[in-house]
Amino acid sequence: MAKKKKPTKNKPNKGITAASLTKDERIKLLLGFFTFSFSIYLLFAFISYLFTWQIDQSKLDITFFELFKDASITVENWSGKLGAMLAHKFMHDWFGIASYSIVFLMGLLGIRFFNYRLLPFRRTLKYVLIVSIWLSIALGFLFHNASFLPGGTHGYFISEWLNSFIGKLGTTFVLLIALFGILVYSFEGFIAKVKKFFKSLLASKVEDQFLTDIENNSENNGGSIAQDPFKTEPRFEKPVEDDEKEQEKSDDDSFSFEYTSKSEETEIKEEQKSTDNSNEFIGLDNIETIEVKVVDKETGEESESKDETKTEGDGLELDVEKIESEDDAPVKKIADQPVGDYDPTLDLSNYKLPPVDLLVDHSSGDVSVTEDELHSNKNRIVETLANYKIQIDKIKAIVGPTITLYEIVPAPGVRISKIKNLEDDIALSLAALGIRIIAPIPGRGTIGIEVPNLKPQVVSMRSIIASKKFQKSEFELPIALGKTISNETFVVDLCKMPHLLVAGATGQGKSVGLNAILTSMLYKKHPSQLKLVLVDPKKVELTLYQKLEKYFLAMLPDTEEAIITDTMKVVNTLNSLCIEMDARYDLLKAAHTRNIKEYNAKFISRNLNPEKGHRFLPYIVVVVDEFADLIMTAGKEVELPIARLAQLARAIGIHLIIATQRPTTNIITGLIKANFPARIAFRVTSMMDSRTILDSPGANQLIGRGDMLISQGSDVVRLQCAFVDTPEIEEIMNFIQQQQSYSTPYYLPEYVSEETSDPGNVDLSKKDVLFEDAARIIVANQQGSTSLVQRKFSIGYNRAGRIVDQLEAAGIVGSFEGSKARQVLIPDEYSLEQLLNNLN
C-alpha cells in the first residue's frame, strides 16, 4: 500500500510547480498576450493622465473600494477608473514621467513570453529602474514649484530633502555625479569617449590661441612681428653651427600651419615638447615667444639671404613643417602612381560582416551554482577521501558553466595514484555522472576533481562572438569554441592547429560544434579571404550553407551543388585540392616565400606580377561531417589524398576539419592521427574510443550536450561548446545572401578521374606489366575496385586506375558504378586464362 500512495502524493506537487507552468507553451502564450495588452492599456492611461489629471484629481481622493463601488462616479481618463487610479499612483504618488519605463518593461516582458528576446531582460530591468529613479529625482528638482509634478511625489520629496541637506548647488552636483556614474556603468566605452572629447577640445583651443597670437602680432607691426623681449636671454640662443644645419633643412621662411587631423596635432605637440625640454622652457607662453623670435630675426636682417636668418625659433617651425612634409610625402607618391596596394576585398568592397544581433542569447545569465551545492560537494569529497585515510590541506572550487573544478592540495605523503583510484567512489558519493580526476593539474601542483553542476548553463554563441577575446583576436582563422571550466572564452587559431579532428557519439554535439566553427570564421573573414569546401555525406547537416555558394564556397567546375554529398565527387574534390596545393607551392617557390602569409603580403604590396601567374591566395578550409561513411565506401581513395593534404597543405593555407561519430581504429587510422595533432572529443561510450581520439581516457566521462575535451599536443582542456541554433544560422545566411556576391563560385582545378575515363580509348597493345596479375587477383576476390589493385601491388592511384581501365576494355570487369565496386565479368580463373591467351 505504501508503494501505491507515494506516486499519488507526488503528482499534485509536480503539477503546480512554476517550472511546469512556464514550460507550457499555452500558458506562456496567454501570459505574453495579457502582459503585452496590459502594457498598452497602461500606456493609454498614462498619456491620458497628462491631459485629464486636473479634472480627475478630486475624484481619485476617495478610497479604492468606494471609487469602484459607486457607478455614478465617472472619470475622463481614456482607460476608465482603473486606468485613472493606476496612472494617479504611478504619475502622481510615485515616479512621475519616469513611470513610462514600467510600460516599456511590461511590453518587453510580454514579448519575451512569445519567445522573442529583443533585450536581456534582467540587465534591462536593472538599468531602467536605476534611470527611472534618477530621472524622477532630477525632474522633481528642476520643476520644484510646478502645479504638476513631472517627477512625482517621490522625486519631489527626495529633491526637497537633498535641497535642505546640501543645498541646491550640492543637489546639482549629486545629480550630475549620479548621471555620470550611470553612464559609466551602463556604457563600456563611455570613459574613452569622454577622454577623446576633452583631448580634441584642448587641442582646438591651443591651435586657436596659437594662430590668434600670430595674427595679432602681425597686425600690430604692419605685417611684421614685434621684437622678442627675451631675445637677449642666453638660454634661447643656439650655436652658429646648429643654425647653419637648420638653414639647409628650411625650404620656406613663411608660416605654414595645417592641422589636418588629430594625429598630426598630437605628433606636433610631442615634438614641441621635446624641443621645449631640450631648451628648458615649458608652456604655451614660451611657444608664442619662440614664434616671435623667428619673425623678429627675419625682420631684423631683411637685406640678408633668408637661408641665413635661422634662429632657435626656426628649429621649432622646421619641426612642424617636417611633420607635415612626412605626412604629405606618401600622398604625392600615390598621386604619381596609378594604384596603391592591392586590395583583395575590392570586388566586394561593400560587404559587411554579420552583426552580433543575428545571434540569440540562450544563456540564463550568471552561473547558477548555489553556495549550498558547493559546500555539499566539498563535504562529500572530503568525507570520501577521509574514509580512505586521505587528508587534505586545502580545497578550492572554480565554477564553470557546466562543470565545477574542485582543486585540492593533499597532505604531505599522500600518493596521487591513491586519489586517482577513488574516481568511482567519489562519483558514487556525489551521485553524479561525468566525474573526472586530473592528477596532477599541469603547472599547478594540485589535484582536480571535475563535478557537473546540477543546473548546467547553456553557453550561447552570441556571448562568445561578442566577447573581447574574439573581437580583438588577431588570428588568421579564429575559432571560438566555447568556455572553459573557469568560464573563460576559448579562442584558437586554425592556422596553428593546423588541422582538426572532431569525434564523438551520436547526439553529443558534433554538428553544433561544426556550426560554431563555421560561424566563427564567417564573423571574421571576408569572402575574398576564405573559401570553404563542405562535404556532407548525410546530406542534411551542412545544407544550410548552400546560400554561401557565390561567397565562401569552393567547388569543382562541373558540379551542380556546392555542398558535396556524393562519394565519387568527394574523391575528385580531394584530388583537385591536391592539384591546387601543388600549384600553390609552385607559386610560393617562384615568389621565394615559405608560407601563404608571406606570399599574400608580397602580392598585396605589388611585389609579384599577376602576368606571371601570381594571384591572391585565400584560405581554404575543408569540412567533412561524417568521415566514417567515406572510409567505408571509398577507403584508400579518400584516406590517401586527405593524408597528403594533412602532411603538406598547412603552409599554403589549406586546412582540414574532419568529424566522425565512429572513433574506431579502422576509421581514425594511424596515418590520419599522425597528421591531426589538434583533436576534439565529445562524449563517447568507451574508454577505448577515448584513447583512439585523444590517446588518453576522459572522453568517456563527459556528460554530453556539448561537453568536450580539446587536445593540442600534450594539454587537454575541458570546454562547454557554444550553442548556435538552426534559425540563427539561417539568419546569418540570409544576411550574407542579401549582399552583393561574386558572379561565380570559387572554382577548384579540374580533376579527371582515371575511373571515369572512356575505356574505348584504352590501347590494349600497351598493357601494364601488372595487367595479368591484377586480373587474377580481381577474379580470385570477385571485387573490381581500384583500391584493391592499389593495395595489393603497393602502387599509386593513377597507375591502379589505368590498370582497371585496361581490365574494363578487356571485358574482365564492368563499368564504373559510383561508390560501388565494379562487377567482375569473369566467373573463374580458368575462363580468365582463356581470355588472357586470346588477348596475347
Side-chain angles (χ1 to χ4, degrees), residues 44-316:
F44 281 102
F46 288 178
I47 295 175
S48 176
Y49 181 83
L50 298 176
F51 304 101
T52 63
W53 68 274
Q54 290 178 324
I55 303 174
D56 296 339
Q57 185 75 24
S58 60
K59 302 174 183 178
L60 298 175
D61 291 336
I62 61 178
T63 63
F64 180 82
F65 180 75
E66 292 176 352
L67 176 66
F68 288 96
K69 181 181 178 181
D70 193 350
S72 62
I73 300 177
T74 59
V75 294
E76 296 296 326
N77 193 289
W78 302 339
S79 298
K81 294 180 182 180
L82 178 62
M85 181 64 73
L86 290 174
H88 179 73
K89 284 292 181 184
F90 279 102
M91 301 287 285
H92 181 269
D93 295 347
W94 292 344
F95 302 111
I97 300 296
S99 300
Y100 280 94
S101 61
I102 304 298
V103 177
F104 170 74
L105 290 175
M106 293 198 67
L108 186 65
L109 181 61
I111 295 174
R112 192 176 182 88
F113 277 123
F114 292 135
N115 293 327
Y116 290 100
R117 293 175 174 84
L118 300 180
L119 293 170
F121 185 75
R122 293 182 182 178
R123 188 182 305 170
T124 306
L125 175 65
K126 178 173 59 177
Y127 291 156
V128 167
L129 289 180
I130 292 173
V131 173
S132 299
I133 294 173
W134 180 90
L135 183 61
S136 173
I137 299 172
L139 292 175
F141 174 71
L142 293 175
F143 303 96
H144 192 70
N145 298 321
S147 57
F148 172 73
L149 300 178
T153 306
H154 165 268
Y156 175 82
F157 283 110
I158 295 295
S159 61
E160 181 76 13
W161 179 81
L162 287 173
N163 287 338
S164 64
F165 185 65
I166 56 177
K168 292 187 177 180
L169 183 62
T171 304
T172 304
F173 280 120
V174 168
L175 289 174
L176 291 177
I177 292 172
L179 177 61
F180 184 78
I182 292 172
L183 294 175
V184 170
Y185 183 72
S186 304
F187 303 100
E188 186 176 347
F190 180 75
I191 296 179
K193 290 182 179 179
V194 171
K195 290 181 179 179
K196 187 176 180 181
F197 171 75
F198 280 111
K199 284 183 179 179
S200 60
L201 185 64
L202 181 61
S204 62
K205 286 185 177 180
V206 172
E207 175 188 351
D208 294 340
Q209 182 67 27
F210 186 60
L211 297 176
T212 302
D213 292 338
I214 294 174
E215 293 174 358
N216 292 338
N217 289 330
S218 300
E219 291 173 359
N220 294 335
N221 294 280
S224 63
I225 299 179
Q227 185 176 359
D228 182 12
F230 301 100
K231 179 178 178 182
T232 58
E233 292 190 11
R235 59 177 178 175
F236 293 104
E237 295 180 359
K238 297 176 64 177
V240 178
E241 296 178 358
D242 295 343
D243 294 341
E244 293 176 354
K245 291 178 181 178
E246 293 179 0
Q247 292 169 12
E248 297 175 358
K249 295 180 183 178
S250 177
D251 295 325
D252 189 4
D253 58 315
S254 61
F255 287 92
S256 175
F257 299 97
E258 297 180 1
Y259 294 87
T260 57
S261 67
K262 295 179 181 178
S263 60
E264 291 181 12
E265 294 173 3
T266 305
E267 293 176 6
I268 293 171
K269 290 175 185 177
E270 290 177 356
E271 297 208 8
Q272 287 177 346
K273 280 185 178 180
S274 62
T275 309
D276 293 348
N277 293 333
S278 63
N279 291 286
E280 300 179 2
F281 56 85
I282 301 173
L284 181 62
D285 295 334
N286 292 321
I287 295 177
E288 296 172 7
T289 301
I290 292 172
E291 298 302 329
V292 171
K293 285 195 67 177
V294 173
V295 183
D296 178 68
K297 185 78 175 180
E298 292 175 352
T299 55
E301 300 180 18
E302 291 179 355
S303 59
E304 298 181 7
S305 174
K306 291 182 180 179
D307 293 337
E308 297 177 357
T309 59
K310 304 300 174 185
T311 64
E312 195 168 353
D314 292 332
L316 183 62

Side-chain angles (χ1 to χ4, degrees), residues 4-18:
K4 294 182 180 179
K5 289 181 180 180
K6 284 185 178 179
T8 58
K9 290 181 180 180
N10 293 333
K11 283 183 180 179
N13 293 334
K14 291 182 180 179
I16 60 174
T17 57

Side-chain angles (χ1 to χ4, degrees), residues 371-424:
E371 291 289 334
D372 294 338
E373 181 182 347
L374 293 175
H375 286 292
S376 176
N377 289 340
K378 186 242 339 182
N379 294 333
R380 290 180 181 179
I381 291 173
V382 173
E383 290 174 4
T384 304
L385 296 177
N387 291 336
Y388 293 91
K389 298 180 180 180
I390 298 175
Q391 300 299 321
I392 298 175
D393 289 345
K394 185 180 178 181
I395 184 168
K396 180 176 69 172
I398 301 175
V399 181
T402 57
I403 300 294
T404 298
L405 174 65
Y406 294 88
E407 195 172 333
I408 64 175
V409 179
V414 177
R415 298 178 61 182
I416 294 178
S417 59
K418 194 174 182 181
I419 300 177
K420 182 70 175 175
N421 294 333
L422 297 177
E423 194 169 55
D424 295 335

Side-chain angles (χ1 to χ4, degrees), residues 580-638:
E580 173 74 9
M581 177 183 68
D582 295 333
R584 289 191 173 197
Y585 269 116
D586 291 337
L587 293 176
L588 262 65
K589 179 182 177 182
H592 303 288
T593 54
R594 296 182 301 172
N595 52 55
I596 186 174
K597 189 175 182 180
E598 296 178 2
Y599 178 87
N600 283 338
K602 268 194 170 184
F603 187 83
I604 289 175
S605 60
R606 298 191 181 275
N607 293 326
L608 300 176
N609 189 357
E611 296 180 356
K612 295 183 179 180
H614 292 290
R615 54 192 170 91
F616 182 81
L617 301 179
Y619 287 96
I620 299 177
V621 179
V622 184
V623 180
V624 181
D625 183 40
E626 189 45 67
F627 184 64
D629 183 72
L630 297 180
I631 292 294
M632 291 176 62
T633 55
K636 294 292 182 181
E637 298 179 21
V638 170

Side-chain angles (χ1 to χ4, degrees), residues 620-683:
I620 299 177
V621 179
V622 184
V623 180
V624 181
D625 183 40
E626 189 45 67
F627 184 64
D629 183 72
L630 297 180
I631 292 294
M632 291 176 62
T633 55
K636 294 292 182 181
E637 298 179 21
V638 170
E639 183 181 358
L640 291 179
I642 282 183
R644 188 162 183 261
L645 289 171
Q647 289 172 346
L648 301 174
R650 171 184 181 177
I652 45 86
I654 299 178
H655 304 277
L656 307 177
I657 300 175
I658 294 177
T660 180
Q661 63 181 6
R662 294 183 56 198
T664 54
T665 53
N666 61 331
I667 302 298
I668 304 178
T669 61
L671 185 62
I672 293 176
K673 285 178 63 176
N675 296 290
F676 283 79
R679 305 165 198 169
I680 290 178
F682 291 88
R683 186 184 181 187

Side-chain angles (χ1 to χ4, degrees), residues 481-482 490 513 680-683 702 704 706-710 717-722:
L481 292 174
F490 189 84
I680 290 178
F682 291 88
R683 186 184 181 187
L702 301 176
D707 190 16
M708 70 180 195
L709 297 174
I710 179 170
V717 181
R718 190 169 186 173
L719 303 175
Q720 177 61 36
C721 183

Side-chain angles (χ1 to χ4, degrees), residues 333-591:
K333 186 176 181 181
I334 293 174
D336 295 338
Q337 295 179 354
V339 289
D341 288 346
Y342 173 74
D343 184 8
T345 65
L346 196 59
D347 292 338
L348 298 182
S349 57
N350 295 325
Y351 178 83
K352 296 181 180 179
L353 297 175
V356 183
D357 296 337
L358 299 177
L359 299 173
V360 179
D361 189 4
H362 298 280
S363 60
S364 57
D366 297 333
V367 179
S368 56
V369 179
T370 62
E371 291 289 334
D372 294 338
E373 181 182 347
L374 293 175
H375 286 292
S376 176
N377 289 340
K378 186 242 339 182
N379 294 333
R380 290 180 181 179
I381 291 173
V382 173
E383 290 174 4
T384 304
L385 296 177
N387 291 336
Y388 293 91
K389 298 180 180 180
I390 298 175
Q391 300 299 321
I392 298 175
D393 289 345
K394 185 180 178 181
I395 184 168
K396 180 176 69 172
I398 301 175
V399 181
T402 57
I403 300 294
T404 298
L405 174 65
Y406 294 88
E407 195 172 333
I408 64 175
V409 179
V414 177
R415 298 178 61 182
I416 294 178
S417 59
K418 194 174 182 181
I419 300 177
K420 182 70 175 175
N421 294 333
L422 297 177
E423 194 169 55
D424 295 335
D425 299 280
I426 296 174
L428 178 63
S429 65
L430 295 175
L433 297 174
I435 300 294
R436 197 169 75 102
I437 295 181
I438 310 171
I441 298 178
R444 294 190 186 179
T446 57
I447 297 174
I449 301 176
E450 295 176 347
V451 181
N453 299 334
L454 292 178
K455 296 180 180 179
Q457 180 193 22
V458 177
V459 177
S460 63
M461 195 67 196
R462 179 188 178 115
S463 63
I464 303 298
I465 295 296
S467 64
K468 287 184 179 180
K469 193 167 185 180
F470 180 79
Q471 293 293 335
K472 295 183 179 180
S473 66
E474 297 180 355
F475 295 150
E476 293 296 321
L477 290 176
I479 295 177
L481 292 174
K483 290 189 176 182
T484 63
I485 57 177
S486 58
N487 218 33
E488 296 179 358
T489 303
F490 189 84
V491 182
V492 291
D493 190 0
L494 181 60
C495 293
K496 295 181 180 179
M497 283 185 169
H499 310 292
L500 181 61
L501 176 64
V502 183
T506 304
Q508 302 303 321
K510 294 189 310 300
S511 297
V512 175
L514 291 179
N515 288 332
I517 292 172
L518 293 172
T519 303
S520 303
M521 292 187 287
L522 293 178
Y523 265 89
K524 271 289 189 180
K525 306 305 289 185
H526 188 273
S528 63
Q529 301 167 339
L530 173 68
K531 299 300 175 184
L532 301 173
V533 176
L534 303 182
V535 179
D536 185 15
K538 290 191 288 188
K539 303 180 181 181
V540 293
E541 296 294 346
L542 301 177
T543 52
L544 294 171
Y545 299 95
Q546 185 72 41
K547 297 179 181 179
L548 301 179
E549 179 176 340
K550 294 183 179 180
Y551 298 90
F552 288 97
L553 298 187
M555 56 189 293
L556 292 174
D558 57 345
T559 55
E560 297 179 357
E561 296 183 354
I563 308 295
I564 307 169
T565 56
D566 184 69
T567 305
M568 192 60 218
K569 292 181 180 178
V570 174
V571 175
N572 293 342
T573 302
L574 293 175
N575 285 283
S576 174
L577 287 170
C578 292
I579 298 173
E580 173 74 9
M581 177 183 68
D582 295 333
R584 289 191 173 197
Y585 269 116
D586 291 337
L587 293 176
L588 262 65
K589 179 182 177 182

